Amino acid sequence: MRKIILITGGQRSGKSTKAEELALSLSPNPVYLATAHIWDEEFRERVRKHQERRGPQWTNIEEETQLSLHDMTGRVIVIDCVTLWLTNFFFANNSDVDKSLELAKAEFDKFTEPDATYIFVTNEIGLGGVSENAIQRKFTDLEGWMNQYIASKADVVILMVSGIPIKIKDNSDNR
């Protein structure tokens, strides 16, 4: 049975840790689908530490945009994270919000067709003030609209606040 879970919150709120714990509670060998583009050495080191922390029971896949290239039927997958995934669309499409959103929605729909458990991690970047930077405002719009789209499709949505999970949607029992 297909299930979509969205875990959202601010930076360092515990989203990835919660997603990994949840995945391991559902499968002895979950998949970690990393969407990050490695921009610099500091970020490469951050990724290495994440991989090291996860351990050998994980199947690690790196995919910057085309998630649907990977058949995840029957698996439990952590997709970390929507923010970095959208960044890849945003820069590939010259900051065109509408085109990036259209492509990301289509890819999300295609990727989540097979029966699997999908655990998406995303950031709530729009909780702060409005940026003075036009590009940042455009990206915040893109992120907010995509988060809303995923949340509308999700069976469960969890908001992480200071390491504490708050379930804000749970339709998993209403099937």
Side-chain angles (χ1 to χ4, degrees):
M1 180 186 303
R2 181 178 81 139
K3 185 172 189 174
I4 298 172
I5 301 166
L6 178 64
I7 300 178
T8 188
Q11 289 181 315
R12 297 286 177 247
S13 62
K15 301 178 304 293
S16 295
T17 301
K18 177 64 177 173
E20 292 167 16
E21 289 171 356
L22 180 57
L24 286 169
S25 76
L26 299 172
S27 172
N29 60 339
V31 175
Y32 190 91
L33 206 160
T35 61
H37 176 83
I38 306 299
W39 299 102
D40 56 30
E41 286 307 310
E42 182 274 333
F43 197 75
R44 183 178 312 284
E45 180 62 15
R46 183 182 288 227
V47 168
R48 187 194 65 73
K49 286 179 181 176
H50 272 260
Q51 290 171 339
E52 188 177 274
R53 184 187 77 231
R54 280 193 297 276
Q57 66 271 41
W58 289 87
T59 299
N60 292 302
I61 299 173
E62 294 184 23
E63 180 59 54
E64 292 183 15
T65 55
Q66 304 304 307
L67 307 180
S68 64
L69 292 177
H70 307 278
D71 181 6
M72 296 290 133
T73 303
R75 302 295 304 268
V76 173
I77 314 104
V78 171
I79 303 90
D80 198 356
C81 76
V82 172
T83 305
L84 296 173
W85 184 56
L86 289 174
T87 299
N88 299 330
F89 282 105
F90 190 66
F91 285 113
N93 293 292
N94 297 312
S95 307
D96 184 327
V97 173
D98 293 333
K99 185 173 184 181
S100 298
L101 185 60
E102 176 186 337
L103 291 170
K105 283 180 175 181
E107 184 60 24
F108 172 86
D109 290 341
K110 185 176 178 182
F111 176 63
T112 59
E113 281 178 6
D115 282 346
T117 299
Y118 303 90
I119 305 170
F120 286 88
V121 175
T122 193
N123 288 289
E124 285 295 333
I125 63 173
L127 289 175
V130 177
S131 175
E132 294 177 13
N133 181 292
I135 295 293
Q136 180 60 46
R137 287 192 306 271
K138 288 172 76 172
F139 185 78
T140 300
D141 289 346
L142 172 63
E143 175 91 21
W145 288 324
M146 191 64 193
N147 284 350
Q148 289 180 50
Y149 186 76
I150 296 172
S152 75
K153 306 282 186 175
D155 300 289
V156 175
V157 178
I158 299 168
L159 173 65
M160 295 299 297
V161 179
S162 301
I164 300 169
I166 303 166
K167 198 172 281 186
I168 56 175
K169 177 182 179 182
D170 190 349
N171 293 341
S172 58
D173 295 331
N174 300 333
R175 291 182 174 235

